[in-house]
Amino acid sequence: EAQVTQNPRYLITVTGKKLTVTCSQNMNHEYMSWYRQDPGLGLRQIYYSMNVEVTDKGDVPEGYKVSRKEKRNFPLILESPSPNQTSLYFCASSLSGDGYTFGSGTRLTVV
Amino acid sequence: AQSVTQPDIHITVSEGASLELRCNYSYGATPYLFWYVQSPGQGLQLLLKYFSGDTLVQGIKGFEAEFKRSQSSFNLRKPSVHWSDAAEYFCAVGASYGGSQGNLIFGKGTKLSVKP
């Protein structure tokens, strides 16, 4: 089944403890992206990638890192999480920028 | 910079009534336009998209949208709403060319409630 898989689905962590949210797609898509969703703010793009080793900042990149070493994987790294990064995170992929397929989301709580 | 405005935060319609959700965008060239739906606790599902050609596009679940360049709008419509359409709807705009095609910008969403 064609899909975008994120892990974990739920995560509670403490301030400052490095974490990684994984994202994998099995559709051989070129583009991948991370979004965060907050009430009243909609979805805001964190980073996106056009291909292996090619990434660019979205609207809210501060406090996040990404890497694209393989086409199928696009992990999101929070080196030192803070409470304002508590959010619902979505990974997405697209064949050619013509509309993203979204994962099921990761609900992150930073205490 | 591109941006998307969804003027209505929350809309309530009766089941069987028609629906129109508004979306206005700002973009310097011809954009790619999308509508997504998010049911409670779920991810986002693509309803329809516009790239070029016919300005009236058909999507899944009986939805359609019309691109109006002169009004910078891409409103979503459905002739008869079902209770299962209750969800949050997001309009999005993306670049139609170049490396920034992955930079898809979303509006803040419109929550749709359906009365029996």
Side-chain angles (χ1 to χ4, degrees):
Chain A
E1 179 188 354
Q3 59 185 357
V4 178
T5 303
Q6 300 178 226
N7 281 296
R9 290 294 308 276
Y10 300 91
L11 178 59
I12 301 174
T13 190
V14 296
T15 298
K17 184 177 181 181
K18 181 179 178 180
L19 67 90
T20 299
V21 183
T22 64
C23 175
S24 179
Q25 50 94 3
N26 62 0
M27 297 169 280
N28 201 36
H29 281 173
E30 303 286 336
Y31 291 80
M32 296 188 75
S33 182
W34 278 102
Y35 287 86
R36 62 177 287 175
Q37 184 177 23
D38 302 288
L41 297 179
L43 286 97
R44 293 179 293 167
Q45 193 171 44
I46 302 170
Y47 273 96
Y48 63 100
S49 169
M50 293 76 80
N51 213 324
V52 174
E53 303 290 4
V54 183
T55 62
D56 205 352
K57 295 177 181 179
D59 294 323
V60 290
E62 294 77 19
Y64 304 95
K65 285 177 56 178
V66 293
S67 68
R68 188 97 181 270
K69 299 188 186 306
E70 306 167 275
K71 198 171 188 179
R72 63 181 290 123
N73 295 322
F74 191 47
L76 179 69
I77 303 158
L78 284 72
E79 296 270 5
S80 183
S82 63
N84 64 13
Q85 293 178 298
T86 292
S87 187
L88 178 59
Y89 291 86
F90 287 101
C91 182
S93 73
S94 170
L95 181 61
S96 58
D98 59 346
Y100 279 115
T101 299
F102 281 80
S104 299
T106 295
R107 187 167 292 281
L108 172 65
T109 302
V110 184
V111 298
Chain B
Q2 60 213 58
S3 65
V4 179
T5 302
Q6 294 181 246
D8 304 304
I9 296 174
H10 190 185
I11 284 181
T12 300
V13 299
S14 297
E15 190 167 17
S18 63
L19 170 71
E20 182 168 25
L21 302 181
R22 296 183 290 164
C23 172
N24 293 98
Y25 69 90
S26 173
Y27 189 68
T30 300
Y32 283 177
L33 294 161
F34 308 85
W35 275 100
Y36 284 84
V37 60
Q38 184 180 33
S39 298
Q42 304 294 313
L44 283 88
Q45 181 181 24
L46 181 65
L47 281 176
L48 48 80
K49 56 189 176 184
Y50 172 79
F51 291 164
S52 63
D54 192 346
T55 56
L56 185 64
V57 294
Q58 303 297 320
I60 61 172
K61 304 186 179 187
F63 285 93
E64 65 178 28
E66 186 171 12
F67 170 59
K68 293 186 177 180
R69 185 189 302 276
S70 61
Q71 298 176 20
S72 297
S73 69
F74 189 57
N75 294 349
L76 182 72
R77 301 193 294 248
K78 186 169 185 178
S80 177
V81 170
H82 188 263
W83 64 266
S84 60
D85 293 323
E88 191 155 20
Y89 292 80
F90 293 93
C91 182
V93 62
S96 56
Y97 60 91
S100 57
Q101 281 178 288
N103 183 212
L104 192 61
I105 303 300
F106 283 80
K108 294 184 179 180
T110 298
K111 184 175 181 180
L112 173 66
S113 297
V114 180
K115 292 190 299 187

